[in-house]
Structures are given as C-alpha cells and as structure tokens.
C-alpha cells in the first residue's frame, strides 16, 4: 500500500447516454441541496426517500418532504421520479401491511393517490428486510398486486427494489418469482463492514480485502444475485455509496474500538484536503485515510474507486448504477463523485465516437497505475498537445508532439519525464487545451 495525497477532481462536461443512473434523494438534503442542483445530465431516475407503510396500509413520510415542485423539475429535465418506502429504521409497518389483502389494497390505493398528487412515476421498495417465509410470500403478493394496479392505471408506472448483496437478506426474497414484475433491482453495494463486523474493513470494497474476506464485496454480491439468484444482469444496478465509515483503528482490516460512524463524502474530501494520509488498497480497489495519530481510519469511495466500479458495471453488462445519496458529494460547488460517474460510466460507450462530450474530456485507466496508463481523450474540436504536469505545476512531459484532432484518441504514458527518466510516485495531471479553455484529469502513479 502506498501513501499519497489526492486533489479534488474538477471536470465539467455535459453527457448524453441511455445508461441508467439512479440517485436516491433523501428528505434531509432538500433544504441544502434543492432538486435544481441534481445533475440531470447524469441522473436518469430520482428516488425520493423515505416514506413507510403503517399496519393498516396508510402511509407516513418525513415532515416537509412532499412537494409537487420536485416532480415538476425532474420531469422538465426528462427524468423519472419514484417514491421509496422503507430504508433502515422505517420498516416496522411492512410485515403487518403485507399480511392481509385488505391492508395491501389500502396501501396501494393510498400510494396511487400520493403518486397522482405529487407526480411520482412509481414505487421503490426498500424493506430491510423480510425475516421469515410468511413475510417473503406476502411481499411477493404485494408486488403482484402493485403491478396489476399499475397496469390498470398506467402501465408505465415503475416498481423497483433495493436489495442486499448476500444470502443473509436475500434468502427472504423470491427473486425468481418477483423478477417478472420488477423493473430493476438496485444492489446495496456498501455496508460490508461496520459496527457489526470483526475488523475495520472497507465500506464498499469492489473485491474482497483481504482476499477471501467472509464479509464479501461488490463482486461477491453481484455474483450471488446474478449467478445464484438469477437476477438478469440488465435488471441489476450496482449501488455505490457517497459516504464512508470512520473507525477508531490504526490499520485497514485491523481491530477497532468504540463506535463506528458514517461520514459523507464531502467530509472525507475535507480530511484529504487537510492532509490526512491517503492510501489505496489494491485488493479492494478503494482508498482509506489515517489521521496523524494513526488512531482513526476512514474508509470511503472517491473518484478513483467510483471509476473502478463504473468500469466493473460495464464489464459485467449490468443495467446501471445506483447512488446513495445525492448531495453527499458536493465539495466547493462541485459534485465530484457524480462527475466521476459521468466520465467513467457514461462517457465511455461501446461505440466510443457516438457520444462525444462538449469540448474535451480526459479519461485515465488504470488509475492508479504502476507501469503505464492509457490516457483517452474525447474531443469535439482540435486540441493542443496533451501535457503531464506535477501537482505543483511543474511540466513533466508532453504526450503528443502534434495538435490533437477531433474524435477519440488514446495515448500511453509510462511514468517518465521529457528526458525519458523515471520519476517518483505521486500525483500528476493530464492537461489539454481548446482555445482559451483548459481541461484536466488526475493520474495517480504508484511506482
């Protein structure tokens, strides 16, 4: 593992794509992150959180949450708005509500009224979780009855579901049966470690760290849902966290003491900016931080780990990405993790020339790298030579000796300077210019 300090990722590009990017929009961010700030060039579906069912089928929700203006803004941007039910701590009424035909029908009737009054396009079910075979069967009945009711009112109304990444919760869902009535499933690819785990591990490791860790990873979760439970890959979204976890610990995967707390990405980014030690775990494909006293460890996702997950989604052919939660990555007016999804998931399409951003965008992979990296330049107009700078502004080398033409082009950099001498590990920036505008992306070189 190698230590370095990472700067913020600052790229502003407009994207056009048919790929699915689902963002949860919780009530508690509405005042600080109004719906107009959602980046609809990336987000295709907004899921408003949270409402919850009561035993008799009536519906409750957070104070000051429902507002028809939210649907107006979402629809004006050509996107869909769903209302989610449940979430951790809001599940008490589910078991009783699904237990009888009358309470289920009362719930569906109340839901349709809410959808009509506030402009929702469907429901997202986030019951965490059914716990026995009776609740499992009743949930299946609710999904079927929801679909029948939606088909009679508007067949385009959607039913989606947030699901766990292992058999611990998955054993209580009849995925093979409900699949035909669900538009998509979003795997919660996070909370693999926390106060319930035996060690201070990653919140959302792409792969197990250490290898074989029984707490699992995104990869083991996808394999479980696709290979074991037969959820079609095109119906599965990979959920990524815009938050992390803080442990009282001195080493990744080591012991910890006391409480484990969640922190939003903007707080973790502030720790990076303040100089906390940044490490990259090559097994997990995720970063973590240690404070100066080496008694506090933070595991989180950043633009580089979001890039790795975006590339994984494309490699596995999954249906999309899901975000918990919108607004958590706002740093100095920039939504850093949203931009990483825009660049690395939406910006790199199998038909690479079909979706060019306005002006220029730069993609780097692998990133971090320790031998050589590929720098892919998307350009809608001719650009100046591609340069590599150190983070302090020192020119390291130029990658091309000619003006770069419009289109998609790739260049290799092997970590050498303009004199073809090897350089030390560190943070570098790839820079290209179009007229008076400058475009850049970071490179993390691990020698």
């Amino acid at each position: 593992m190698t230590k370095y300090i990472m700067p913020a990722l600052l790229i502003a590009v407009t994207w056009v794509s048919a790929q699915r990017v689902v963002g949860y929009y919780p009530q508690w961010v509405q005042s600080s992150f109004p719906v107009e700030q959602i980046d609809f060039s990336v987000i295709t579906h907004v899921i408003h959180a949270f409402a919850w069912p009561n035993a008799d089928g009536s519906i409750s929700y957070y104070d000051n949450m429902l507002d028809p203006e939210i649907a107006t803004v979402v629809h004006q941007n050509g996107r869909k708005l769903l209302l989610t039910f449940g979430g951790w701590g809001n599940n008490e009424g589910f078991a009783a509500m699904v237990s009888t035909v009358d309470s289920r029908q009362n719930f569906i009737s109340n839901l349709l009224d809410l959808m009509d009054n506030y402009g929702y396009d469907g429901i997202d079910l986030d019951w965490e979780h059914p716990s026995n075979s009776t609740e499992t069967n009743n949930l299946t009945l609710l999904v079927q009855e929801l679909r029948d009711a939606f088909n009679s009112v508007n067949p385009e109304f959607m039913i989606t579901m947030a699901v766990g990444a292992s058999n611990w919760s998955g054993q209580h869902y009849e995925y093979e049966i409900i699949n035909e009535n669900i538009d998509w499933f979003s795997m919660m690819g996070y909370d693999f470690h926390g106060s319930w785990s035996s060690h201070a591990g990653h919140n959302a490791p792409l792969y197990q760290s250490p290898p074989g860790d029984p707490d699992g990873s995104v990869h083991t979760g996808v394999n479980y849902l696709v290979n074991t439970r037969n959820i079609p890959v095109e119906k599965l979204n990979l959920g990524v966290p815009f938050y992390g976890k803080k442990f009282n610990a001195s080493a990744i995967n080591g012991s910890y003491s006391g409480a484990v707390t969640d922190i939003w990405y903007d707080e973790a980014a502030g720790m990076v900016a303040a100089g906390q030690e940044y490490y990259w775990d090559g097994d997990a494909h995720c970063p973590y931080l240690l404070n100066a006293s080496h008694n506090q460890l933070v595991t989180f996702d950043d633009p580089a780990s979001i890039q790795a997950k975006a590339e994984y989604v494309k490699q596995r052919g999954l249906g999309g990405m899901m975000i918990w939660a919108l607004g958590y990555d706002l740093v100095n007016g920039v939504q850093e993790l949203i931009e990483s999804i825009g660049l690395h998931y939406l910006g790199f399409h199998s038909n690479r020339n079909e979706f060019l951003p306005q002006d220029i965008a730069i993609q780097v992979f692998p990133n971090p790298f320790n031998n050589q990296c590929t720098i892919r330049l998307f350009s809608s107009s001719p650009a100046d030579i591609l340069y590599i700078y150190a983070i302090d502004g020192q020119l390291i080398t130029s990658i091309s000796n000619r003006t770069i033409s419009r289109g998609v082009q790739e260049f290799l950099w092997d970590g050498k300077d303009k004199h073809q001498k090897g350089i030390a590990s560190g943070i570098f920036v790839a820079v290209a210019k179009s007229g008076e505008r400058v475009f850049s992306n970071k490179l993390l070189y691990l020698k």
Side-chain angles (χ1 to χ4, degrees):
M1 311 228 178
T2 305
K3 181 180 81 175
Y4 49 86
I5 306 300
M6 181 185 299
L9 175 64
L10 299 173
I11 303 174
V13 178
T14 299
W15 299 98
V16 179
S17 176
Q19 293 158 294
R20 188 165 61 228
V21 182
V22 179
Y24 279 85
Y25 185 54
Q27 174 269 345
W28 51 87
V29 305
Q30 287 176 210
S31 60
S32 60
F33 187 77
V35 64
E36 291 82 2
Q37 287 189 255
I38 294 175
D39 188 344
F40 292 106
S41 69
V42 174
I43 302 301
T44 61
H45 298 78
V46 177
I47 301 187
H48 200 190
F50 284 104
W52 55 91
N54 300 309
D56 62 357
S58 60
I59 293 172
S60 296
Y61 39 83
Y62 292 129
D63 293 340
N64 304 314
M65 174 178 163
L66 302 186
D67 182 352
E69 182 63 21
I70 294 175
T72 298
V73 173
V74 172
H75 293 154
Q76 285 175 344
N77 284 276
R79 304 312 193 191
K80 298 288 189 180
L81 177 68
L82 287 79
L83 180 62
T84 188
F85 284 78
W88 195 254
N90 296 327
N91 298 281
E92 185 176 348
F94 265 106
M97 182 273 288
V98 299
S99 65
T100 71
V101 173
D102 288 344
S103 54
R104 291 195 302 267
Q105 290 302 313
N106 191 36
F107 172 74
I108 293 170
S109 176
N110 289 324
L111 171 64
L112 288 169
D113 287 342
L114 269 182
M115 292 172 62
D116 183 54
N117 290 335
Y118 294 97
Y120 293 104
D121 301 297
I123 181 176
D124 177 70
L125 293 168
D126 187 13
W127 180 2
E128 301 183 24
H129 301 276
S131 59
N132 56 55
S133 59
T134 298
E135 293 175 3
T136 298
N137 294 337
N138 288 337
L139 174 60
T140 300
L141 291 173
L142 174 67
V143 171
Q144 178 63 64
E145 291 164 8
L146 276 167
R147 177 54 65 197
D148 291 342
F150 283 4
N151 285 346
S152 68
V153 175
N154 183 349
E156 293 188 2
F157 282 163
M158 304 179 71
I159 306 173
T160 67
M161 185 175 288
V163 298
S166 73
N167 197 55
W168 179 81
S169 60
Q171 63 185 305
H172 300 299
Y173 293 83
E174 296 179 311
Y175 291 131
E176 295 84 352
I177 299 174
I178 63 176
N179 168 61
E180 63 181 279
N181 293 312
I182 297 289
D183 289 275
W184 73 63
F185 301 87
S186 290
M187 187 188 89
M188 294 179 280
Y190 35 79
D191 288 338
F192 287 96
H193 298 96
S195 58
W196 53 88
S197 54
S198 63
H199 56 279
H202 289 280
N203 180 41
L206 180 55
Y207 298 98
Q208 290 158 287
S209 174
D213 178 22
D215 291 321
S217 66
V218 165
H219 180 61
T220 62
V222 170
N223 282 344
Y224 167 72
L225 292 173
V226 172
N227 299 335
T228 303
R229 300 307 308 276
N230 300 313
I231 292 179
V233 288
E234 68 274 9
K235 279 195 174 185
L236 185 62
N237 303 327
L238 171 58
V240 296
F242 283 15
Y243 72 97
K245 295 191 183 296
K246 185 191 301 181
F247 294 87
N248 297 317
S250 60
I252 191 67
N253 299 325
S255 61
Y256 69 94
S257 61
V260 180
T261 57
D262 289 354
I263 66 168
W264 293 8
Y265 172 75
D266 65 342
E267 184 179 348
M271 294 175 177
V272 175
Q276 288 206 16
E277 297 174 8
Y278 179 101
Y279 295 84
W280 180 263
D281 184 338
D283 291 328
H285 291 222
C286 283
Y288 62 94
L289 303 176
L290 279 173
N291 65 356
S293 301
H294 282 205
N295 60 8
Q296 183 185 90
L297 181 143
V298 172
T299 68
F300 68 113
D301 273 79
D302 68 352
S305 62
I306 293 294
Q307 173 186 352
K309 288 170 180 169
E311 292 171 350
Y312 180 88
V313 169
K314 293 184 292 186
Q315 291 165 3
R316 292 297 300 265
L318 302 182
M321 299 186 73
M322 176 270 278
I323 296 160
W324 177 265
L326 297 174
Y328 286 16
D329 70 329
L330 186 63
V331 180
N332 298 322
V334 178
Q335 297 174 50
E336 298 184 351
L337 304 187
I338 289 288
E339 291 191 349
S340 187
I341 292 174
L343 177 63
H344 300 294
Y345 181 51
L346 302 183
F348 174 31
H349 194 271
S350 58
N351 183 354
R352 299 187 319 203
N353 291 288
E354 181 178 353
F355 299 112
L356 284 176
Q358 295 176 355
D359 298 314
I360 294 172
I362 300 170
Q363 181 186 50
V364 181
F365 60 96
N367 194 9
F369 72 100
N370 59 14
N371 183 17
Q372 71 177 17
C373 67
T374 299
I375 303 173
R376 177 176 290 134
L377 193 70
F378 300 79
S379 178
S380 61
S381 59
D384 287 351
I385 293 170
L386 184 64
Y387 299 95
I388 304 295
Y389 287 88
I391 195 64
D392 62 4
Q394 176 187 357
L395 176 64
I396 301 299
T397 189
S398 59
I399 300 298
S400 172
N401 59 4
R402 57 181 172 79
T403 299
I404 300 169
S405 59
R406 181 188 185 281
V408 181
Q409 297 176 70
E410 293 183 352
F411 305 89
L412 296 177
W413 185 47
D414 57 4
K416 294 180 180 179
D417 65 14
K418 58 187 176 182
H419 303 296
Q420 290 301 300
K421 294 182 179 179
I423 58 176
S425 299
I427 304 163
F428 301 88
V429 182
V431 176
K433 298 179 181 179
S434 178
E436 298 298 318
R437 304 186 68 186
V438 177
F439 301 83
S440 64
N441 197 0
K442 68 179 187 327
L443 304 87
L444 309 178
Y445 178 41
L446 308 181
K447 192 169 182 179

